[in-house]
Amino acid sequence: MTPPTSRTWSRRGTTPVIRVRGRSQRRFSIAALCCHKPGERSRLIYRPRRHTDHKSGGRKSFAWTEYRDLLIAAHQQLGGPIVLIWDNLNVHKDRRMRAFIDTHDWITAYHLPPYTPDLNPVEGIWSILRRTSQANTAFTNSDHLISRLRHGLRQIQYRSDIIDGCLTATGLTLTTPRLQTQ
């Protein structure tokens, strides 16, 4: 990951140059859910994954089984039904994932229109993560990168106002159907 630069300095009249060593062949993925439940604080549930076999033709991203495990863990953590609003990642639309969702009544899935990252609150989380814990950092090794990622995500987890801001920035309304009194 090439480090994002938020600011730098140099002597007057000298252009600042930031040297970064060659790109690493290590690969990491993070899957995250921004969760909102009326009357409770918003939550961020995430899972990082280090890919060890991607050079030998192995998978370079999360498999549908890992998304399934994330959903099961979120269901247990949240203690209620889940309404997913997903982007159009091919794994989210995988037939096995659809079959898993169809067989569980506690999951309802909706897909965002194509090319609308502004409607995805997790994109706001990634932006904040890059501008805070990742900015101005040249990572010395993969352990340094993953520890900074975990630390940054943990800081966001404890700040439900940041998660609320990312949810609000989408412009989607957070309403639930009203229960009918009998």
Side-chain angles (χ1 to χ4, degrees):
M1 171 183 242
T2 304
T5 306
S6 61
R7 64 179 172 230
T8 187
W9 65 273
S10 71
R11 292 186 176 179
R12 188 177 302 214
T14 306
T15 303
V17 176
I18 300 171
R19 288 194 169 79
V20 178
R21 284 191 255 160
R23 295 195 181 258
S24 170
Q25 294 302 312
R26 293 172 191 89
R27 188 158 181 108
F28 299 98
S29 296
I30 302 174
L33 299 171
C34 286
C35 306
H36 173 76
K37 190 173 184 180
E40 294 186 18
R41 67 179 185 86
S42 297
R43 299 172 72 177
L44 178 69
I45 300 173
Y46 66 92
R47 297 288 182 273
R49 184 176 188 280
R50 183 180 301 201
H51 303 282
T52 55
D53 62 344
H54 73 279
K55 287 186 197 175
S56 60
R59 206 166 166 84
K60 295 181 176 112
S61 63
F62 275 82
W64 78 272
T65 54
E66 293 162 320
Y67 281 107
R68 176 199 62 200
D69 296 343
L70 176 63
L71 291 174
I72 291 169
H75 175 62
Q76 290 172 349
Q77 234 178 328
L78 298 171
I82 295 175
V83 178
L84 286 173
I85 301 175
W86 267 354
D87 56 12
N88 288 295
L89 185 66
N90 59 356
V91 178
H92 295 169
K93 292 187 163 192
D94 187 278
R95 64 178 168 73
R96 296 166 291 188
M97 180 57 85
R98 281 195 312 256
F100 171 75
I101 290 171
D102 291 342
T103 58
H104 292 84
D105 60 346
W106 50 267
I107 304 176
T108 306
Y110 297 99
H111 289 279
L112 292 171
Y115 308 108
T116 54
D118 52 323
L119 296 178
N120 189 348
V122 176
E123 296 295 337
I125 298 292
W126 301 146
S127 175
I128 291 167
L129 187 65
R130 281 188 65 99
R131 287 182 283 134
T132 56
S133 67
Q134 307 296 297
N136 290 339
T137 306
F139 300 103
T140 56
N141 56 31
S142 57
D143 292 329
H144 182 215
L145 170 63
I146 199 73
S147 70
R148 288 295 296 259
L149 285 170
R150 284 180 189 267
H151 177 73
L153 287 166
R154 224 174 289 119
Q155 284 182 323
I156 294 171
Q157 262 185 328
Y158 295 134
R159 300 276 313 273
S160 63
D161 58 321
I162 292 175
I163 301 166
D164 287 337
C166 291
L167 289 164
T168 303
T170 64
L172 301 173
T173 56
L174 303 173
T175 58
T176 56
R178 293 186 182 179
L179 298 174
Q180 299 291 328
T181 57
Q182 296 179 3

